[in-house]
Each structure stands twice: as structure tokens, then as C-alpha cells.
């Protein structure tokens, strides 16, 4: 009976994601922000009434969550696990990398959000640099004493608290086909960069823009040159 339940549930989730409009909504929510039904309908290029029916379907399957703020209702991805699954699917369908790179906007490939952490070319370089600098080590992404000291110096929180998420892990980047930094450390690193005003989010997309201070900071701390 449990097996039948899981199979039925899996089929329902797959069918929900298979719809192009709902796929657009889920991709829009991969920026980690919450949007209104009207905003998501515009992004999905459908009428508000049509968008609402699609949102109801995604809510029913716990793929998204609704947040009430006064008289307004906002929608976001249900959890970081959903975001990780979607990012994995994006990597799965991006088999022809030459076609992918020609069709994906350069700025989006260069730096973007993957739900609550950084993704794209720069994020992949940063992931590798954390290992070469000795901040992380091993397949388990263990934070070293040097990494802990440097994170503390930069004001990057490294405690997972009550979260069951791993401190750090690799997340397959769908455009680069290599790992960028995920987990709690990936989230707090993005938050710290935003707090330092090293990074600015695009208002209507997942793109990330590095400020002059951010370019200097990444060069000084990580030895990374940002175009």
C-alpha cells in the first residue's frame, strides 16, 4: 500500500511539473523570493484566473507555499528540497550544453540565484576556490579550522542550528554542469554578500549583479576576478 501511495504521489508531482505553465511558475520561484499570483501570472504569460488554478494545483501537492501578509498573499517554493529537486531536473534536461549556452542569457549563466544560494559561472569558481584555499575539504565538504576562522572574520554564520540541512554540499549547476556551493553555508554566504552590498539582485529575474565593492571583495578574499 505504501508503494502504491508513493507511486501515485510521484506520478502526480511529475504531472504537475510537466505542465509548461506550472514549470514556468516553479522556475520563477527559483529566485528564492515570494511573488503574488498576479506577478506569477505575468511571468508565466497567462491570465490571472488561469494562473490561480495552476497555483492551486502546486499548493495541493506541497510544491509551493502561500504566505499571508496583511491583505496580500505571496507564493514561494515550499522548501529548499523542492528547489534542489528542480535544479537537478534542470541539469537533467540540459543535455546539449552547446544549445543550452546559446539559448540561456549570458548574465543568467554568469551569476544567478539557485533558490537561496548562488549559482552560475562565478558560483562554480567560488566553490572550487573554497577547496583550493583550504576552507573546505573532502567529499563531505567539511569546514576546516582555516575555513571557520575566515568565515568568522567575514561575518558568515556557520552554525546549522535546528536545521537538518548539511552545513555545506555540492549542488549541480544546470548551466555549468559542475558543482556550486549549496547547504547552509551557501545560503549564509549569499546573505552576507548581500548585507555587505557586494551583490544586488535583479528585480524581475534570478540574475545577480556584483557591485564595485563586491568585485573588490571577491578579488581580495577569494582571488576571483569578476567581469
Amino acid at each position: 500500500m505504501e508503494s502504491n501511495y508513493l507511486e501515485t504521489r510521484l506520478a502526480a508531482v511529475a504531472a504537475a511539473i510537466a505542465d509548461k505553465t506550472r514549470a514556468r511558475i516553479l522556475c520563477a520561484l527559483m529566485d528564492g523570493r515570494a511573488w503574488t499570483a498576479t506577478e506569477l501570472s505575468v511571468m508565466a504569460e497567462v491570465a490571472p484566473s488561469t494562473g490561480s488554478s495552476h497555483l492551486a494545483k502546486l499548493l495541493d501537492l506541497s510544491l509551493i507555499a502561500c504566505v499571508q501578509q496583511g491583505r496580500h498573499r505571496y507564493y514561494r517554493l515550499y522548501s529548499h528540497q523542492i528547489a534542489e529537486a528542480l535544479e537537478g531536473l534542470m541539469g537533467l534536461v540540459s543535455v546539449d550544453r552547446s544549445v543550452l549556452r546559446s539559448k540561456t542569457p549570458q548574465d543568467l549563466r554568469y551569476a544567478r540565484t539557485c533558490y537561496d544560494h548562488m549559482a552560475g559561472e562565478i558560483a562554480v569558481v567560488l566553490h572550487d576556490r573554497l577547496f583550493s584555499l583550504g576552507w573546505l575539504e573532502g567529499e563531505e565538504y567539511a569546514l576546516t579550522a582555516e575555513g571557520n576562522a575566515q568565515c568568522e572574520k567575514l561575518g558568515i554564520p556557520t552554525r546549522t542550528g535546528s536545521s537538518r540541512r548539511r552545513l555545506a554540499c555540492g549542488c549541480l549547476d544546470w548551466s555549468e554542469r559542475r558543482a556550486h556551493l549549496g547547504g547552509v553555508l551557501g545560503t549564509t554566504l549569499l546573505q552576507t554578500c548581500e548585507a555587505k552590498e557586494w551583490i544586488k539582485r535583479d528585480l524581475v529575474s534570478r540574475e545577480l549583479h556584483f557591485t564595485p565593492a563586491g568585485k573588490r571583495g571577491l578579488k581580495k578574499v577569494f582571488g576571483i576576478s569578476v567581469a
Side-chain angles (χ1 to χ4, degrees), residues 86-141:
L86 290 172
E87 186 78 4
L89 288 172
M90 290 175 185
L92 181 64
V93 301
S94 304
V95 177
D96 191 337
R97 194 165 185 269
S98 61
V99 174
L100 172 70
R101 294 191 69 84
S102 67
K103 290 183 176 295
T104 305
Q106 172 62 32
D107 289 344
L108 199 61
R109 294 201 311 265
Y110 193 66
R112 64 180 183 275
T113 52
C114 174
Y115 189 51
D116 60 1
H117 55 271
M118 284 186 278
E121 182 182 333
I122 287 297
V124 169
V125 173
L126 178 59
H127 166 279
D128 295 346
R129 194 58 55 88
L130 292 176
F131 281 91
S132 64
L133 290 174
W135 292 29
L136 295 172
E137 64 180 8
E139 295 182 0
E140 295 302 315
Y141 286 72

